[in-house]
Structures are given as C-alpha cells and as structure tokens.
Amino acid sequence: VLSVVVTWLAQAGAGRMCWERQVSPADHPDVNVQFYANSLRSAPDNTLVSEIHERYTHDMLEQSHGYIQWLFPLYEGGGMNPYSQALTKEGAKVIREDVDMSARVLQSYRLMLNFYGCKLVNEHTGEVGREDNYVERYAEHNYPFNHNWLRISRIIVSLGHLGFGRYKRPLLDHLRREVDEGVLGAARESLETFWSPLVLEEDTPRYMMKTREEGPQDRGESVFFRNVETHGRSR
C-alpha cells in the first residue's frame, strides 16, 4: 500500500509541476497571444480585440492605422505600427490550437471582408462572395495606390500563420473575379504583383523570405476546422 501511495504522490507531483509550467494565454510572452486572448489592449488605439469587433465602423477601419497589425500579426513584424510586435512561431501555434482565439481570428476576418464589401460564404471552404454593401464599398476602394490593398497582403499572409490558410485561395479567387470584371480594376497590379504570389508560390524561396515561414508547419491548420468537421457547422 505504501508503495502505491508513494507512486501516486510522485505522479501527482509530476502532474502539478507540469501544470505549473503551463502559461495561460493571458500571460504568454507573445503579446499577440495576449491580444487574441482578449486580455491585452492594442497600442496605440488602446482597444481589446472584442472592442474592435464590436465598435469599429468602416470610417474607423479606414482612418485608424494601428489596429491591422494586431488583428493580423506577421512573423516578419509589425510594419508601420511601432507599438506592435512580430508574431512568434510558438505564439501562432498557441492561437491556432485555442478555440476561443481562433474564433476571434475568424471574426477579425469577417470584419475586414465587410470593410472591403465582401463576405465569407462558407466557413469550411473559405468561399468569399459579395456583401450586400459591395457597390458602395468597392467604390470606396477602387482607385490606384490605395493603402488598403497593402492590408490585403497582410491579411493573406496572417491567415496562413494563424491557421486559416485554406481561406487564402478562395479570397484570391474572389478578388481576381472582381478585378477581371472591372469592378475592382484598380487592384490589378496588387493582385498580380503581391496577392497572387502569396497564395500560389507557397514554400518557394521568395515566399519564405517574405513571410518568414520555413515550411507548411508554420501555417498549420486551426482547431476551428476540427470543430467544423465534427459538428458540421458551415455557413
């Protein structure tokens, strides 16, 4: 009996030490994990991710330049926002494997699609279509040298980092259709020069240099899709 008790205590102690070594998302060293855990406010806007989802209007999304680096972090760094930080490989994996954080990533994507006049038609496949407001929204964006085209490049890469890589090609396909039809004709250079290589040239030397990905393991799939496939949720 004594040996059984000793064994149980040893196992319990090992389990406790293992538990104590775990870091909650709110305390993770990657600030992007803390942000998507809804425990850290972005800078310089001082907003939680949930507040961005709930409060940001199209005008706010257009005029603010501090949120996009937080909603769609990259391995390569924060870009034009000196207050944001590069996404770490470990941080990306934590976000991909967390149901709540993955749901927030999806909400961020829906928010930006609506900003551009698009919508997610199917959560499982990533199919993208026109939003009801697309005429108005396309008119806002369809001009040369629009800084919002740069945001699309960031979104495409970050989707891969954060576990939604299967959404990259459907987004590209939708944008290509709209460019070819002329309703987003001003985006053709961005489409051919930037967006297409980020989708069609994965794991090439140029792609890896740009994205800092070292292979498919750096854009593993989100736990979100396991839930979709298990519960059949698709809309």
Side-chain angles (χ1 to χ4, degrees):
V1 174
L2 180 59
S3 64
V4 171
V5 172
V6 171
T7 300
W8 180 85
L9 288 173
Q11 291 173 341
R16 183 170 60 253
M17 286 187 292
C18 180
W19 180 84
E20 289 172 349
R21 286 197 297 270
Q22 292 178 348
V23 178
S24 73
D27 298 319
H28 196 279
D30 188 331
V31 297
N32 298 289
V33 174
Q34 296 177 40
F35 175 72
Y36 262 109
N38 210 39
S39 62
L40 178 72
R41 292 181 174 274
S42 67
D45 293 353
N46 193 36
T47 49
L48 295 171
V49 62
S50 61
E51 294 172 344
I52 295 174
H53 293 160
E54 294 166 5
R55 301 177 187 175
Y56 272 40
T57 64
H58 290 155
D59 285 344
M60 295 170 70
L61 293 171
E62 173 66 41
Q63 295 167 11
S64 174
H65 298 279
Y67 70 88
I68 195 70
Q69 298 86 357
W70 291 91
L71 291 186
F72 298 97
L74 302 176
Y75 296 146
E76 67 177 290
M80 299 300 292
N81 183 351
Y83 300 100
S84 63
Q85 294 182 22
L87 177 68
T88 64
K89 304 288 179 68
E90 173 61 27
K93 184 177 180 181
V94 170
I95 294 173
R96 292 195 300 262
E97 295 181 352
D98 186 279
V99 173
D100 292 334
M101 288 190 280
S102 291
R104 294 186 185 110
V105 172
L106 178 58
Q107 202 167 350
S108 296
Y109 185 49
R110 288 185 180 277
L111 177 73
M112 293 308 297
L113 284 177
N114 183 267
F115 172 71
Y116 286 105
C118 308
K119 65 180 178 182
L120 186 62
V121 175
N122 188 299
E123 289 179 345
H124 179 70
T125 65
E127 178 186 354
V128 175
R130 291 175 174 175
E131 186 57 271
D132 293 341
N133 65 353
Y134 85 93
V135 173
E136 169 196 346
R137 298 310 304 157
Y138 283 14
E140 288 287 327
H141 298 301
N142 193 30
Y143 61 87
F145 310 111
N146 184 346
H147 71 97
N148 289 303
W149 300 147
L150 296 174
R151 291 174 169 178
I152 291 179
S153 297
R154 169 176 285 272
I155 290 168
I156 289 172
V157 176
S158 187
L159 284 174
H161 294 350
L162 299 180
F164 290 82
R166 69 167 71 178
Y167 284 4
K168 293 169 63 173
R169 182 60 183 264
L171 175 59
L172 178 67
D173 289 344
H174 175 76
L175 293 169
R176 184 176 295 281
R177 286 193 300 270
E178 303 300 63
V179 168
D180 288 345
E181 288 186 23
V183 290
L184 284 178
R188 181 169 296 279
E189 183 176 356
S190 293
L191 173 75
E192 301 295 348
T193 305
F194 302 106
W195 306 338
S196 292
L198 293 174
V199 177
L200 304 179
E201 298 180 12
E202 287 181 342
D203 299 327
T204 63
R206 182 172 73 150
Y207 174 89
M208 291 191 290
M209 182 178 297
K210 167 62 179 172
T211 64
R212 308 292 173 87
E213 292 177 9
E214 298 178 73
Q217 71 276 7
D218 290 333
R219 52 178 189 278
E221 194 152 76
S222 169
V223 66
F224 169 80
F225 295 107
R226 293 200 290 274
N227 286 351
V228 168
E229 290 158 4
T230 300
H231 302 295
R233 181 182 176 216
S234 180
R235 67 175 185 269

